[in-house]
Amino acid sequence: QVQLVESGGGLVQAGGSLRLSCTASGRTFSSYPMGWFRQAPGKEREFVAAINWSGGSTRVAESVKGRFTISRDNAANTVYLQMNSLKPEDTAVYYCSVGVLLGTSMRSDYWGQGTQVTVSS
């Protein structure tokens, strides 16, 4: 059974930083793109960032470009999202995903359970 487990969410003040982690189990995802999406209350889930299997290519949403960085450690089956200069509008549940890169985004085939990020003003 495939599992994606996120961690690292929490409450932070505007301007602060958090690093999210997502570890995959039940299958080796080192050959697959991984990424992050988020969903704020009352809004649709939106793409945040994705990374190809080797880590050599990334995609980042315009709304977080220059502030968020995605990386991965294939030996640990883990993907990370470093979030700096956080804003209240970054408040959302963040979901890890595994899937396929599509243009500037990705299609997700597997989802994690999500981790809450709350940014206070």
Side-chain angles (χ1 to χ4, degrees):
Q1 183 178 354
V2 172
Q3 271 197 314
L4 299 175
V5 179
E6 300 99 334
S7 61
L11 173 64
V12 64
Q13 288 189 331
S17 298
L18 283 174
R19 188 175 84 151
L20 305 183
S21 300
C22 170
T23 299
S25 62
R27 182 176 177 178
T28 299
F29 287 104
S30 59
S31 298
Y32 297 90
M34 298 184 74
W36 293 91
F37 286 70
R38 67 185 182 185
Q39 188 166 17
K43 295 188 177 181
E44 293 188 353
R45 192 171 298 188
E46 65 174 1
F47 169 77
V48 176
I51 188 166
N52 75 334
W53 70 273
S54 69
S57 177
T58 62
R59 288 142 171 79
V60 181
E62 286 296 323
S63 59
V64 304
K65 194 166 288 185
R67 300 187 297 121
F68 291 12
T69 303
I70 188 170
S71 61
R72 68 189 294 165
D73 180 350
N74 284 340
N77 244 10
T78 299
V79 64
Y80 305 97
L81 185 68
Q82 178 66 44
M83 305 186 295
N84 299 329
S85 302
L86 282 160
K87 304 174 181 180
E89 51 263 44
D90 295 319
T91 295
V93 177
Y94 283 70
Y95 296 91
C96 175
S97 70
V98 175
V100 177
L101 294 176
L102 294 174
T104 58
S105 182
M106 71 179 292
R107 183 199 76 213
S108 295
D109 296 327
Y110 298 98
W111 294 101
Q113 83 288 350
T115 185
Q116 176 71 46
V117 171
T118 303
V119 184
S120 63
S121 56

